[in-house]
Amino acid sequence: METKLNEGKGSMALRKREPLRIRTELKAILYLIPFLVPFAVFYLWPVLRGAWMSLHVWSIQGMEKYVAFANYKKIITNSDFYQYMWHSFYFVLLCAPTVIILGLILALIINQKLWFRTLIRSVFFLPYVLSVSVISFIWLRLFDTKHGPVNAFLHLLGLPSDINWLTDHRFVWWAITIATDWWTVGFVMVLFLAGLQEIPTDQYEAAKIDGANAWKRFLHITLPGLSSVMKIQIFYQIINCLKLFGQVQIMTGGGPGDSTNTMIRYIYVTGFKKDMFGLASAQSIIFCLVMLLIAVIQFKFTDRKDG
């Protein structure tokens, strides 16, 4: 009898908790709606629309013919696709390591007790608030062969000062990398600075007492303490560098020749210059899948490393 009473009380408690659980779930959904609606309108729908367009011959007038996966076959059998994909990855190899290293060095300097560190932080972060078009036009003038300040500075140092930064394939990628590093290093610096300030100072004090020099403190305290920030930086910079477009479009136009054409510019030219939006959509889908694959590999690698 007592057991039945307890079971009855338990079932009544469950029935009372059920409306509360439903109300909680509904409230959670209501909180998510302000995010889900813009996500569906501005992200999910364009992706689905692009995937549908990639299965058609599609011009600015609209859909012309359903071709199934013919656009994808055309891409993977075209050597230009692999060339421009390599250009995008080549920029990652140049820009991502340099901007991360420079940002870390600046963060280490600013993290010291310097009276002018606020000024330095502001100076290096300021370019990041500018648009890519402004940055590109600034460096377009700075790298001017005849009247640019970069070559003028090289002349003062007694170095070769007739370098065609934006028309010589030996220097053009370095010019784009320098411009991009200058633009984004402030953001990298700020993230590293935030990570440095989270490392307990007593660890450094204990290391000093044990006789560890600055290099050993950096290797055994600073770098491990920045591991989570470093993973974020590497992931963000790889994806950001793969999306290179504005600097190339304004500074080089993809030249000299096709030496700085990247995947994003390849997609842009296919869609807006050649009026082949179906093919451009297929290129976008493939490039998106490549970036997703990179993200998955990186997450798997970092998870295994953490374990």
Side-chain angles (χ1 to χ4, degrees):
M1 187 72 176
E2 189 174 339
T3 304
K4 290 182 179 179
L5 286 173
N6 290 334
E7 288 177 356
K9 289 179 181 178
S11 60
M12 288 178 63
L14 284 173
R15 284 196 296 271
K16 288 180 179 179
R17 283 201 297 269
E18 187 67 20
L20 181 61
R21 185 181 64 82
I22 293 172
R23 286 199 300 271
T24 303
E25 290 178 354
L26 288 174
K27 190 181 292 185
I29 293 171
L30 288 174
Y31 282 126
L32 287 172
I33 286 175
F35 166 77
L36 291 176
V37 171
F39 174 80
V41 173
F42 296 108
Y43 182 79
L44 188 59
W45 168 245
V47 169
L48 295 175
R49 179 72 167 174
W52 174 249
M53 289 175 66
S54 71
L55 303 176
H56 298 78
V57 173
W58 203 297
S59 68
I60 197 168
Q61 284 80 26
M63 182 178 66
E64 296 181 4
K65 183 173 63 173
Y66 176 74
V67 294
F69 294 100
N71 284 328
Y72 293 93
K73 184 178 179 181
K74 187 175 182 180
I75 293 168
I76 62 177
T77 55
N78 187 349
S79 60
D80 287 344
F81 167 75
Y82 300 99
Q83 179 184 355
Y84 301 148
M85 184 70 78
W86 162 243
H87 289 168
S88 296
F89 279 101
Y90 181 66
F91 181 68
V92 172
L93 295 175
L94 287 178
C95 188
T98 53
V99 75
I100 289 173
I101 292 170
L102 287 172
L104 178 57
I105 292 171
L106 287 172
L108 290 170
I109 293 171
I110 295 173
N111 197 45
Q112 306 301 313
K113 295 180 179 179
L114 304 174
W115 63 270
F116 54 89
R117 64 179 180 176
T118 302
L119 175 63
I120 297 176
R121 184 168 52 196
S122 302
V123 167
F124 280 101
F125 187 76
L126 182 62
Y128 188 72
V129 304
L130 302 176
S131 67
V132 63
S133 57
V134 172
I135 296 299
S136 299
F137 278 115
I138 288 173
W139 282 95
L140 188 64
R141 300 306 176 197
L142 291 175
F143 283 125
D144 184 83
T145 304
K146 293 183 178 179
H147 309 292
V150 173
N151 277 349
F153 180 70
L154 293 175
H155 179 72
L156 289 175
L157 296 177
L159 298 172
S161 57
D162 57 347
I163 298 174
N164 298 311
W165 289 98
L166 301 177
T167 55
D168 191 327
H169 65 89
R170 296 173 299 172
F171 302 105
V172 65
W173 275 115
W174 286 108
I176 296 170
T177 300
I178 291 169
T180 306
D181 283 355
W182 182 77
W183 179 33
T184 57
V185 72
F187 175 75
V188 178
M189 174 196 69
V190 168
L191 287 185
F192 275 131
L193 188 59
L196 287 170
Q197 292 173 352
E198 291 296 320
I199 300 174
T201 56
D202 57 355
Q203 294 184 13
Y204 291 103
E205 293 170 0
K208 285 181 181 179
I209 294 171
D210 291 338
N213 57 28
W215 176 246
K216 288 184 177 179
R217 293 197 299 270
F218 174 74
L219 286 179
H220 298 290
I221 299 176
T222 304
L223 281 183
L226 291 175
S227 60
S228 58
V229 178
M230 184 68 75
K231 291 170 189 174
I232 294 170
Q233 293 279 23
I234 292 171
F235 173 76
Y236 177 79
Q237 292 305 324
I238 289 174
I239 299 302
N240 196 42
C241 291
L242 282 174
K243 296 190 298 180
L244 174 70
F245 172 72
Q247 301 94 303
V248 167
Q249 178 68 11
I250 294 171
M251 294 173 67
T252 68
D258 268 349
S259 60
T260 59
N261 252 329
T262 61
M263 272 303 300
I264 299 295
R265 192 173 188 279
Y266 181 41
I267 295 166
Y268 164 78
V269 170
T270 302
F272 292 95
K273 298 292 185 181
K274 298 181 179 179
D275 192 22
M276 301 167 69
F277 287 99
L279 185 60
S281 298
Q283 292 168 353
S284 301
I285 296 296
I286 291 176
F287 192 48
C288 179
L289 292 175
V290 169
M291 289 195 288
L292 284 174
L293 179 62
I294 292 170
V296 169
I297 292 171
Q298 184 172 351
F299 285 140
K300 290 289 184 182
F301 175 76
T302 53
D303 286 346
R304 187 168 63 248
K305 203 169 181 182
D306 291 340

